[in-house]
Amino acid sequence: MTMNNNRLLKIEMLSTGDEVLQGDIADTNAAWLGQKLGDLGLKFQSRHTVADDLDDLVSSMRECAKRSDWVFVNGGLGPTSDDCSAQAAARLLGVELELYQPWLEQLQQWYARKNLVMPQSNAKQAMLPKGAEFVDNPVGTACGFIIEYEGAKLIFTPGVPSEMKKMALEQWFPRLPVSFDTGVKRFYSFGLSESWLNDKIDKLTLPLGARIGYRSARPSIEIKIFYDGRCGVDTRLSFEAQVRELIGSFLFCEDQGNWAQSLQDEMLVRKLKLSLAESCTGGMIADQLVAQAGSSAYFVGGIVAYSNSVKSQILKVSDKDLAQYGAVSLSVVEQMAQGVRQVLGSDIGIATSGVAGPDGGSESKPVGTVCFAISTANASFSQTLKFSSPGRHPIRVMATAVAMDMLRRYLNGLSLSADYQLASRIEQQGSEFL
Amino acid sequence: MTMNNNRLLKIEMLSTGDEVLQGDIADTNAAWLGQKLGDLGLKFQSRHTVADDLDDLVSSMRECAKRSDWVFVNGGLGPTSDDCSAQAAARLLGVELELYQPWLEQLQQWYARKNLVMPQSNAKQAMLPKGAEFVDNPVGTACGFIIEYEGAKLIFTPGVPSEMKKMALEQWFPRLPVSFDTGVKRFYSFGLSESWLNDKIDKLTLPLGARIGYRSARPSIEIKIFYDGRCGVDTRLSFEAQVRELIGSFLFCEDQGNWAQSLQDEMLVRKLKLSLAESCTGGMIADQLVAQAGSSAYFVGGIVAYSNSVKSQILKVSDKDLAQYGAVSLSVVEQMAQGVRQVLGSDIGIATSGVAGPDGGSESKPVGTVCFAISTANASFSQTLKFSSPGRHPIRVMATAVAMDMLRRYLNGLSLSADYQLASRIEQQGSEFL
């Protein structure tokens, strides 16, 4: 099969359930599956959400099947009576539900291993439309199945995200006519705009069998290169080198997009310890680092220096400088970074202080103005940036990202004076290479 | 109109756009609108997502219109050529697009006020299907419109969330046959399970014209009471008093669900200052408090005491106790709370220390074990809870919520020894009423 064939495959998704339909939960399954299909060079034709209502389900399945090659039906396979996807499938085909004995035994064994008696309601989950093909669920009690209707295949999966994902990846994707020597290369950039990247990468000569995708997930842009079998290894590596060069120092990680994990890996290799002094980011940087298991091996701790008294008493910032330059100043943020490094005893100290708004801005320091500093035993660098993103939360998110980016740049010997496209540089101080 | 009529109203949503369909962004507009309709006692019959493809759009609109009284079409009204919802509407009706002069003038004035020349492409946004009813967009360049097809009304709105929301609330909802003396009362609880609440509230006698809704948004459960005109004020207040009594001390806020804001309001009224010493929560509590504008008025700062050296050197925790009892112990967490209160100079100090996992658990302190302490000038209370939620992130989220709940309980003179249904109490120390 070639990619051209893949593009023609018509796929629809049918989600069931009141919680999704009435907005109690966002349909993250749909977003996840859309992205994964994109990685294979495929895409949804359309998506539909209906309540767990037998008539609605049957007519939606019929309509989807008429238009598509594959319909991915998600949800409605639970043990309770409101879950009726299997029943709807049987009615669509005009057949009965019948017991699939191997799954009933699997369920009974699962409960027996936990020293529990299987509730009678779970037996319902072993009832499949007559003639359906069984689809295993290795991580839950709701098995899936596949039926054919008017030339279309419909695959039924449970709504629990972890179960749906495992079943889609392991049991549905291998059935799709995709050439599976397909590879994906991912780059994660910070500081460049999507349109800038798009323009530049468009000017490269795309090798046969490669295509580009972008995903903007604030604060980063993910650049994906998808390959099919026509694109050989040498060609891939040489093209990736061109993309890497183009992103330049704004490349945060490759292959995986977890910044905190990638910083943690680098800190551990270098056996360095970090501490933080956060004012406007108020714990957000620490929270992201601590979210990674094992972060205690390099992250000593942080001071949320929200008031001036904490800045002066704990971080030893000069009261005179606080009064003269204000809390949002290069002088103060430098002293914060140095202070936290010394007080908490780490190799590197990073500090933030800014005006996140909505109030507190002035003519000289409008909302969006944030000062950053990084301090080591030998040197320090500080900078003031002005973010254009509106709103307290986006400003704090961007400030957190810049602080993490400064650590990455320091660890990789890159210039700390980066030309971010999403902020304007107001001033800087110290050596840009520490 | 009575609520019975409302329930019969058939509403569908049609979202357009590749970003939503392919999962680059989750359809939060749909979730938001579903919730808002629920508040009015209405709900979606189904929801559909299609690409910005003229043929697909026209056939989807036709199908939706056949089944519904109202179709809420969202997206595809931008200035670029891929946005084609207005064109699809015109084709559905078999009419031409025609210039809506007042909107063109509005756009030109908008650009003129900003000293900009209107790009030619924006003129497209003033082209409406002949005969369509104009719908104003007070906050953007894409106006909306309403058409009728086969007895159904279709309303077209832009995909930008802030624009869609304003237009739905102000211009669509008033056109729906809902009795608008309808009121909503909201309670936000923490620490009780949804099924427990459901069982208890089900046993109350629901007044005529009232109905109950629940929304689980970890870590809290929102209980909503919807009223129509048949339910008078006295009846409402008396029923609300019963629900309030039932939730008891687990009621976190009423009417609005922003916990940090509600704590901030209470702290400001009482003129009290807070500081935090966070170990396993690692900045998450501080981050949530600082997310509120104006938090600097009561939040002095925090210490992310991730390593033992920070606990002993900055927070003055006894090295002997750290060695003897371990970092996750009542003794240490108490000293952390007292230490941060004294070192940062606040009225109240709150501390957390726990095993968030996935590693680091032991037989006596398994993953999910978290110690909490609150300290004032006169007294302190500490407790160890064991959370059953699996995973590092859920444990940290629950621990953050318990810490905030302890502050709320202290401020309201409630027992600090709460019988949370989502955790088991291992031990406690000190007076439960400070």
Side-chain angles (χ1 to χ4, degrees), chain A residues 55 104 114 152 165 175 203-204 294 355 425:
Chain A
D55 292 335
L104 182 66
K114 302 205 159 196
K165 289 177 185 175
R175 293 170 203 252
K203 295 205 173 79
L204 301 178
V355 189
R425 177 173 303 279

Side-chain angles (χ1 to χ4, degrees), chain A residues 287-338:
Chain A
D287 182 38
Q288 298 212 358
L289 301 182
V290 170
Q292 301 309 307
S295 45
S296 57
Y298 80 96
F299 179 57
V300 177
I303 310 281
V304 180
Y306 212 54
S307 69
N308 279 352
S309 68
V310 176
K311 293 185 182 82
S312 60
Q313 283 167 39
I314 310 286
L315 296 174
K316 317 295 181 203
V317 175
S318 137
D319 278 322
K320 190 170 140 283
D321 291 345
L322 270 169
Q324 186 171 349
Y325 304 110
V328 181
S329 64
L330 290 187
S331 169
V332 165
V333 81
E334 258 177 37
Q335 293 176 56
M336 287 169 67
Q338 187 184 4

Side-chain angles (χ1 to χ4, degrees), chain A residues 413-424:
Chain A
L414 297 168
S415 164
L416 288 157
S417 175
D419 200 6
Y420 298 114
Q421 288 173 2
L422 35 81
S424 46

Side-chain angles (χ1 to χ4, degrees), chain B residues 283-319:
Chain B
M284 194 184 271
I285 311 173
D287 182 39
Q288 298 211 358
L289 302 183
V290 170
Q292 300 310 306
S295 45
S296 57
Y298 80 97
F299 178 55
V300 177
I303 310 282
V304 180
Y306 212 54
S307 70
N308 279 352
S309 69
V310 176
K311 293 183 180 84
S312 61
Q313 283 167 40
I314 309 287
L315 296 173
K316 316 295 180 204
V317 175
S318 137
D319 279 320

Side-chain angles (χ1 to χ4, degrees), chain B residues 32-33 35-37 39-40 72 155 157 161-176 180:
Chain B
W32 180 87
L33 200 57
Q35 286 172 31
K36 290 292 165 190
L37 283 180
D39 291 355
L40 296 176
F72 190 90
I155 179 165
T157 54
S162 56
E163 301 177 18
M164 181 285 287
K165 289 176 185 175
K166 202 169 168 63
M167 291 166 77
L169 288 174
E170 296 178 3
Q171 295 180 77
W172 185 42
F173 286 4
R175 293 170 203 253
L176 300 177
F180 269 96

Side-chain angles (χ1 to χ4, degrees), chain B residues 368-385:
Chain B
T369 305
V370 183
C371 301
F372 302 85
I374 179 166
S375 162
T376 67
N378 306 315
S380 79
F381 173 80
S382 58
Q383 60 184 344
T384 305
L385 303 180

Side-chain angles (χ1 to χ4, degrees), chain B residues 30-59:
Chain B
W32 180 87
L33 200 57
Q35 286 172 31
K36 290 292 165 190
L37 283 180
D39 291 355
L40 296 176
L42 300 171
K43 56 186 193 174
F44 282 130
Q45 200 80 359
S46 64
R47 250 175 27 208
H48 311 272
T49 310
V50 294
D52 289 310
D53 174 276
L54 199 56
D55 291 337
D56 284 359
L57 266 171
V58 174
S59 67

Side-chain angles (χ1 to χ4, degrees), chain B residues 121-135:
Chain B
S121 58
N122 280 93
K124 166 173 174 282
Q125 296 184 296
M127 301 295 289
L128 305 186
K130 196 172 155 66
E133 181 185 351
F134 167 78
V135 173

